[in-house]
Amino acid sequence: MSSASLSHLVLDTNSEMPLIARVYEVESAEELRSEEPVEAAAAVETGPAPAPVREALRPAARAPLAESGPAAEPLEEGSLPFVGQVLAYAPGESLLIQRRLHLDEDLYLADHAFVHAPGVKPVSACMPVLPLTMSLEVMAEAAACLAPGLGLIGFEDVKATRWIEVSDRDSELLNISARVTEVDADGQVWRIAVALQLEGQDMPSTTATVLFSTAYRVDLDLAFGSFSNPYRLPLTGEDIYRERHMFHGPCFHCLTGEIIIADEGAVTDLMTRPPTELFRSISQPQLLIDPALFDGIGQFIGVWAMQHDRYVLPIGFGKLELYRSTPPAGTRVPIRIEIVRDETMTMYANVEIQDGSGGVWLRVREWGSIKFRHPARVLDFRRQPTRHLLSRSLVLPSLAKGVQCCLISKADTQGFDPLLLARHYLHLDEMADFVAKAGVPPRQQQWQLGRVAAKDAVRAWLAARSEQSEMLHPAAFVIDSDAAGQPLVAALEGHARLPRISIAHCEDRAVALAGEQPLGIDIEQVRPHAAGFLESFSTAGERELLDELATEGEARDEWITRLWSAKEAAGKLLGTGVNGAPQRFEAIAIDGAGNFIIQVRDSDRLINVHSVREGNFVIAYAATETAGASGR
């Protein structure tokens, strides 16, 4: 659609334009200088306020916001939900507001959390993040306080540099600063710079210039081209959410109907939603934009990126222009995106959204996104953690029926930083152990990978026993340890029988077993060993057995590694470990396939241990004692 079709809106005084006449949601700062009259505040270089001004907002008698308390702020019907405590105000010049983001009040945060663990973890432990488009609403409301009598017409130079999280606590204090930077008397455009910064951070998280005027106007001249190679995506907008290709919860579900993908962009419909479930204490907030639907822009660009094996998060945009007020809730509004720059780490799209009646509602120039490439296993797990494992299931020869084995390496977790992976996998009771190991990152990584492998083995074992397609969420249970330091699954409500487990890790990978009987597993890297290493843990009889298999080179290194791992696995099966006495576990038979019979000295216990080569590593595992051995 060409800009010519919008010419009737250029500098046309529109009686339906939502104008902010006065702002009553104020606290302190001398009640916005005793609620400066509209005419006085708006007369900075622009003259009196325009005639088509909506009825002034009614006064809202809000309870004062506690300075440091964690309580959520009660809101009033019809109020601007983000105009919190006003700390400083210079009419027509600048404003400083504090607004406490609170999980109990700001319900939309639960629908914008990066960790999917409903009913398993509290929202605060799921990394809820303020959406970029909700940040736009916050900035627009603050800017409106400096432009009474004018209407919001858009945003420029929007930049998001870091997350605004409400993680591991129920609330965060957000500082919102606004400053008038330019008043274009000829064009009747006010430019107001706004910055959002969490308390305690040294720089803003999000910045933008917010545009206000007496009428909508068209300054963007975007030429949308034709599409090539279009095709209908097998998934509808509803399918996207049902299968969790987007992490967003219900209040951000706005993609609807069929989706057409082309080389240069895509088209579909968005659905405007009522803002009735965004805040706990206010069902009808006065919003200056539709932040939930605006979030659909980034979601839809993400759908296009997924078809090119990329995954994106928004980082800002050049300019957004509004040409009319928000269509009523329930309106289907067509959206078109055109990719104008696709770079190594970023991509940019122009956007046009219609109003559902053939007119154009808004346009965006160069909506920017940062690109990621994640392994398919990571994406599947993050989408549906109760249906997918992050680690790989290993089928090991001679492993008892029903025993589950899982292997994971650091490379398998691409797309997770350690803390985000911990939020997905660890129970709240395990987080303290994880944090305590932060001083030695390699040790923390090995411990964490071991927990991932063990939890996946346990989840697979429980699902196989119950013949259920849905597995337990990994954060729903705890891997604990007994008095001897051996890992075990802590008591779990609803599961009378829990598996035995064994965990091992080496370098950047970990492996675990889960089964009904005692188990033992070890993993070691094959590498040359210092002189005397073999003699330090083996018997003369074992060295003779190894001499029959290999006498030098990498093959010798591999058999030495297999022998050490076999002893470790046998010790874990008994629940004691080698306990500083590896010669107590003596291999009395070894075959060329890597199978061992380990005799426990001072007893008649014989343990079958098997070993396999996995890349440059050896995995040894023990799940049985030989028939007739004691202790069975």
Side-chain angles (χ1 to χ4, degrees):
M1 186 175 296
S2 69
S3 60
S5 63
L6 299 175
S7 60
H8 64 287
L9 294 175
V10 178
L11 293 177
D12 178 32
T13 299
N14 185 340
S15 61
E16 296 184 356
M17 185 178 189
L19 303 177
I20 305 303
R22 300 172 74 185
V23 178
Y24 284 98
E25 296 76 6
V26 299
E27 296 166 4
S28 74
E30 300 177 18
E31 291 299 296
L32 276 185
R33 298 288 185 266
S34 300
E35 296 177 5
E36 187 84 11
V38 172
E39 291 78 10
V44 180
E45 299 186 29
T46 63
V53 174
R54 280 192 168 184
E55 180 182 356
L57 305 178
R58 68 179 183 275
R62 295 205 299 162
L65 173 63
E67 291 185 3
S68 59
E73 301 177 51
L75 301 174
E76 294 290 333
E77 293 297 316
S79 66
L80 295 172
F82 291 109
V83 178
Q85 185 179 23
V86 180
L87 302 183
Y89 173 58
E93 296 179 6
S94 62
L95 179 70
L96 177 62
I97 296 172
Q98 281 192 336
R99 165 63 153 83
R100 185 172 292 281
L101 297 174
H102 201 294
L103 296 176
D104 190 49
E105 174 61 37
D106 296 286
L107 302 181
Y108 60 87
L109 288 170
D111 282 351
H112 202 262
F114 285 165
V115 176
H116 186 59
V120 174
K121 284 190 165 187
V123 175
S124 61
C126 294
M127 199 177 172
V129 173
L130 185 72
L132 172 63
T133 54
M134 198 63 76
S135 296
L136 296 179
E137 174 67 27
V138 176
M139 292 189 285
E141 292 184 18
C145 298
L146 294 175
L150 303 178
L152 176 69
I153 64 168
F155 302 84
E156 288 179 337
D157 301 323
V158 176
K159 295 181 176 63
T161 57
R162 63 173 70 182
W163 304 125
I164 298 178
E165 297 180 38
V166 186
S167 293
D168 303 322
R169 64 188 75 189
D170 290 331
S171 69
E172 289 284 357
L173 198 57
L174 184 64
N175 292 314
I176 309 158
S177 59
R179 177 174 53 87
V180 176
T181 58
E182 180 185 354
V183 177
D184 180 354
D186 294 332
Q188 292 289 295
V189 176
W190 285 38
R191 286 179 166 82
I192 302 170
V194 186
L196 307 184
Q197 185 169 337
L198 281 177
E199 186 81 355
Q201 292 189 348
D202 57 358
M203 61 180 295
S205 298
T206 310
T207 58
T209 297
V210 188
L211 308 179
F212 280 81
S213 184
T214 58
Y216 295 117
R217 53 184 294 137
V218 176
D219 292 325
L220 282 181
D221 184 16
L222 300 182
F224 290 86
S226 59
F227 283 167
S228 56
N229 302 316
Y231 64 92
R232 181 178 290 104
L233 195 68
L235 301 174
T236 65
E238 291 77 9
D239 295 333
I240 293 290
Y241 299 121
R242 184 171 52 254
E243 299 179 21
R244 293 203 77 252
H245 290 287
M246 294 291 152
F247 68 87
H248 306 72
C251 79
F252 294 101
H253 288 183
C254 54
L255 295 171
T256 186
E258 70 177 22
I259 297 171
I260 305 299
I261 300 291
D263 292 347
E264 304 85 357
V267 294
T268 191
D269 285 350
L270 303 180
M271 182 78 76
T272 57
R273 300 179 55 87
T276 53
E277 298 180 355
L278 299 178
F279 306 93
R280 182 175 300 280
S281 65
I282 178 172
S283 62
Q284 294 296 331
Q286 177 175 334
L287 299 177
L288 304 189
I289 63 171
D290 185 339
L293 184 134
F294 278 29
D295 195 86
I297 298 173
Q299 296 176 37
F300 190 40
I301 292 171
V303 171
W304 185 89
M306 285 192 301
Q307 311 316 306
H308 298 78
D309 297 323
R310 294 293 189 275
Y311 301 87
V312 298
L313 290 171
I315 55 175
F317 52 82
K319 186 171 185 177
L320 182 153
E321 281 187 348
L322 294 164
Y323 306 124
R324 59 190 65 220
S325 56
T326 301
T331 305
R332 291 175 71 111
V333 294
I335 177 175
R336 173 190 181 108
I337 63 169
E338 184 170 339
I339 308 303
V340 293
R341 281 194 286 149
D342 191 3
E343 301 169 347
T344 303
M345 296 297 296
T346 56
M347 58 182 286
Y348 296 85
N350 290 342
V351 182
E352 181 176 274
I353 303 180
Q354 296 183 13
D355 63 0
S357 300
V360 175
W361 173 16
L362 66 88
R363 282 180 161 181
V364 186
R365 181 183 65 213
E366 295 203 340
W367 180 289
S369 305
I370 187 169
K371 299 194 297 187
F372 304 90
R373 183 193 288 272
H374 298 322
R377 187 176 297 276
V378 169
L379 293 169
D380 287 341
F381 170 77
R382 292 184 69 165
R383 284 195 307 115
Q384 298 172 316
T386 60
R387 294 192 177 185
H388 298 280
L389 303 175
L390 183 57
S391 55
R392 293 187 289 123
S393 292
L394 281 186
V395 178
L396 297 176
S398 304
L399 198 58
K401 183 179 180 180
V403 176
Q404 300 287 335
C405 180
C406 288
L407 172 71
I408 190 165
S409 69
K410 177 61 177 175
D412 296 326
T413 68
Q414 180 185 342
F416 286 108
D417 63 42
L419 181 57
L420 184 57
L421 181 59
R423 293 189 192 282
H424 278 83
Y425 260 87
L426 298 184
H427 189 279
L428 290 179
D429 292 345
E430 296 172 306
M431 288 297 293
D433 286 340
F434 169 78
V435 172
K437 294 174 171 58
V440 186
R443 189 169 299 172
Q444 183 189 52
Q445 173 184 287
Q446 290 181 342
W447 181 89
Q448 184 178 52
L449 292 176
R451 287 303 186 271
V452 171
K455 291 197 170 199
D456 280 356
V458 170
R459 297 193 304 135
W461 187 87
L462 289 171
R465 283 182 59 86
S466 62
E467 299 182 347
Q468 298 290 322
S469 59
E470 292 278 338
M471 295 182 291
L472 199 62
H473 193 287
F477 63 100
V478 174
I479 300 294
D480 207 344
S481 57
D482 62 19
Q486 298 300 308
L488 57 84
V489 182
L492 185 58
E493 184 177 352
H495 295 274
R497 300 186 68 179
L498 295 172
R500 307 284 190 93
I501 60 173
S502 183
I503 306 171
H505 44 71
C506 179
E507 300 297 332
D508 66 345
R509 62 198 61 203
V511 65
L513 293 175
E516 193 136 5
Q517 303 298 327
L519 304 161
I521 194 164
D522 188 59
I523 182 170
E524 299 290 342
Q525 186 173 16
V526 177
R527 55 175 171 246
H529 295 286
F533 173 71
L534 177 60
E535 288 75 8
S536 69
F537 73 89
S538 64
T539 65
E542 289 171 331
R543 292 192 287 274
E544 290 178 5
L545 292 173
L546 291 189
D547 288 341
E548 296 175 5
L549 295 167
T551 58
E552 61 183 12
E554 183 181 348
R556 178 72 169 182
D557 295 330
E558 179 180 331
W559 281 106
I560 292 173
T561 304
R562 286 181 186 256
L563 176 61
W564 172 256
S565 292
K567 291 171 180 273
E568 287 277 6
K572 290 181 178 182
L573 180 138
L574 295 185
T576 63
V578 296
N579 200 23
Q583 285 88 350
R584 178 170 175 257
F585 298 87
E586 183 175 15
I588 60 173
I590 309 174
D591 67 21
N595 301 309
F596 294 73
I597 297 178
I598 302 290
Q599 182 175 35
V600 184
R601 288 189 175 182
D602 305 322
S603 76
D604 60 352
R605 304 183 80 159
L606 300 176
I607 301 173
N608 291 323
V609 181
H610 309 279
S611 65
V612 295
R613 181 79 178 255
E614 173 71 23
N616 198 38
F617 291 80
V618 162
I619 298 174
Y621 50 98
T624 62
E625 296 183 48
T626 60
S630 64
R632 296 287 295 162

